[in-house]
Amino acid sequence: MNEERLYKYFEKDFYIGAAVSPRVLKHKSQFVANHFNSITAENQMKFEELQPKRGEFQFDTADKMVQYARDNGLKMRGHTLVWHNQTPDWVFTNEDGSYVTRDVLLARMEAHIKEVVTRYKDDLYCWDVVNEAIDDKEGFLRQSKWLDIIGEDFIEKAFRFAHQYAPNAQLFYNDYNAVIPEKRERIYKLLKSLVDQGAPIHGMGIQGHWNIYWPNEDEIRKSIELYASLGLKIQITELDISMFEGEDKRNPGLVAPTKEMLKLQEEQYERIFKIFKEYRDVITAVTFWGVADDYSWLDYFPVFNRKNWPLIFDEKGEPKESYRKIIAIK
Ligand code: GLA
């Protein structure tokens, strides 16, 4: 058996996690337990998965993943309670299709959070309580049904409910593009208002869906320092380094990464892990959004069927040069 274990190189720094699905666990159960000491369910703890119909909770799949984590002594992050995506319509509507009132939606939010976090309170050490609530381009909060119906305090309420039913869990706000200056300022404003109101928030999840050209060191450092200045812990929650910038349609049909791509990716991984290590006193976990390059959501998004190679293990599960670069950092 392969004795090489990725997480060992970071044991003094932070947890090293991976997002997994039941399919990945079926094929790579040993591999995951070998290299990572934390997991996140890629989709299986989202609202639509856990409560597809009102009052009908489906925990079978999530329970199995939790059991896997337990059996293998892995930490597990909870992802995610309140989000504008992957949440069923019934949550926001009456039977005639009209929107429910603020009070009804708050009651549904509380019921969902209560059921879910109570069930896993001994297993999940943290939760992404609210995901992606900040607008990318302008204004402040992203338009969503949560916001429309409840108002701006839906975020604070979610944190209070989560804390009420899982008082020991560390509670995170999680978002992407969290290192882009304009969005970073808006996220900071939100976090600061939560902290000022005494809301039970403990951390900021920087998703880390990045690429081989972006972001730069300065953007990452400034972001970590700004969020941490509020007394929050930082986790990198969904790390992958895409070979492409956004919807870049060059290289259509590429079946293997070019040498140049791989080199830029190695440099990027090395650069960012140096920073993560430097900030080990505030960073408590770094989670990859996937395990190996045979499967990544980036093969389908934002360009469908554009093969990508964003992780540090290749399609066969062999360590890439990026892996060697990051384990060599002192
Ligand atoms: C966001 C969500 C994740 C996942 C990714 C895409 O980052 O937080 O749960 O859906 O998008 O896979």
Side-chain angles (χ1 to χ4, degrees):
M1 202 183 79
N2 188 353
E3 291 303 318
E4 183 70 17
R5 287 164 182 260
L6 170 64
Y7 75 85
K8 289 266 177 201
Y9 295 94
F10 300 93
E11 256 176 341
K12 291 203 189 86
D13 307 319
F14 31 69
Y15 297 126
I16 292 284
V20 295
S21 63
R23 192 166 165 272
V24 166
L25 289 184
K26 189 158 171 239
H27 299 290
K28 288 197 166 63
S29 130
Q30 193 54 51
F31 185 88
V32 170
N34 221 25
H35 283 294
F36 301 93
N37 53 4
S38 172
I39 58 168
T40 306
E42 187 176 3
N43 284 299
Q44 294 71 22
M45 291 188 180
K46 292 176 179 172
F47 208 126
E48 66 177 9
E49 300 278 330
L50 294 184
Q51 198 185 174
K53 294 199 183 128
R54 192 171 154 207
E56 293 180 24
F57 286 86
Q58 290 186 0
F59 286 118
D60 291 1
T61 311
D63 281 357
K64 284 190 190 121
M65 298 177 85
V66 168
Q67 187 61 45
Y68 165 83
R70 232 187 255 156
D71 292 345
N72 290 282
L74 309 179
K75 290 279 179 182
M76 188 163 185
R77 306 188 75 252
H79 175 80
T80 177
L81 297 168
V82 172
W83 189 24
H84 64 281
N85 259 334
Q86 293 181 263
T87 304
D89 282 341
W90 71 257
V91 176
F92 308 102
T93 48
N94 294 303
E95 267 164 29
D96 65 3
S98 60
Y99 280 170
V100 295
T101 61
R102 164 181 162 95
D103 286 349
V104 169
L105 187 54
L106 279 172
R108 290 181 180 180
M109 178 198 272
E110 178 173 5
H112 182 78
I113 291 179
K114 177 181 180 190
E115 187 81 20
V116 173
V117 306
T118 306
R119 185 179 190 89
Y120 297 126
K121 69 177 177 352
D122 298 327
D123 294 290
L124 305 184
Y125 80 100
C126 72
W127 269 103
D128 291 329
V129 177
V130 175
N131 202 27
E132 305 179 345
I134 293 291
D135 200 90
D136 277 308
K137 298 204 174 62
E138 55 192 16
F140 179 41
L141 297 183
R142 169 199 296 275
Q143 198 281 319
S144 76
K145 290 176 191 162
W146 294 110
L147 176 64
D148 282 356
I149 300 172
I150 299 180
E152 294 205 354
D153 63 341
F154 83 91
I155 300 171
E156 184 203 341
K157 295 280 187 209
F159 278 92
R160 294 205 187 272
F161 291 142
H163 185 63
Q164 182 179 345
Y165 298 108
N168 297 324
Q170 294 171 39
L171 305 181
F172 282 74
Y173 173 73
N174 190 47
D175 214 331
Y176 64 92
N177 285 350
V179 302
I180 293 182
E182 300 76 36
K183 192 167 174 183
R184 175 169 75 209
E185 287 307 321
R186 289 197 285 273
I187 294 174
Y188 175 77
K189 181 177 155 193
L190 168 67
L191 300 178
K192 182 161 184 333
S193 79
L194 290 169
V195 169
D196 288 347
Q197 292 166 81
I201 177 169
H202 311 109
M204 169 63 201
I206 296 176
Q207 289 188 0
H209 293 297
W210 295 337
N211 65 51
I212 57 178
Y213 312 101
W214 168 84
N216 65 38
E217 273 190 49
D218 189 51
E219 287 174 297
I220 300 174
R221 274 175 207 286
K222 282 206 173 111
S223 309
I224 295 172
E225 287 175 18
L226 185 68
Y227 299 135
S229 73
L230 291 166
L232 300 174
K233 292 293 180 198
I234 307 292
Q235 295 199 348
I236 311 299
T237 52
E238 306 184 18
L239 181 62
D240 43 25
I241 302 294
S242 172
M243 294 298 195
F244 306 96
E245 250 179 320
E247 298 189 16
D248 182 352
K249 293 197 177 65
R250 283 173 302 167
N251 301 314
L254 202 65
V255 294
T258 65
K259 275 194 181 138
E260 197 208 343
M261 285 173 169
L262 285 168
K263 186 164 169 288
L264 289 171
Q265 191 179 46
E266 287 151 27
E267 290 167 2
Q268 182 69 312
Y269 266 118
E270 186 176 25
R271 191 178 306 129
I272 66 178
F273 268 85
K274 270 190 183 151
I275 300 176
F276 298 162
K277 280 209 170 219
E278 247 179 70
Y279 289 93
R280 57 163 76 84
D281 54 334
V282 291
I283 295 179
T284 55
V286 175
T287 295
F288 291 87
W289 204 246
V291 174
D293 283 344
D294 56 337
Y295 162 73
S296 161
W297 72 296
L298 292 173
D299 297 340
Y300 309 98
F301 183 88
V303 179
F304 191 74
N305 273 345
R306 179 187 65 182
K307 182 63 194 151
N308 211 323
W309 300 270
L311 300 162
I312 60 170
F313 293 100
D314 70 14
E315 288 172 82
K316 296 196 181 102
E318 295 298 328
K320 291 158 69 173
E321 188 57 28
S322 292
Y323 175 103
R324 282 183 269 277
K325 284 272 188 330
I326 69 169
I327 64 168
I329 299 168
K330 291 293 166 235

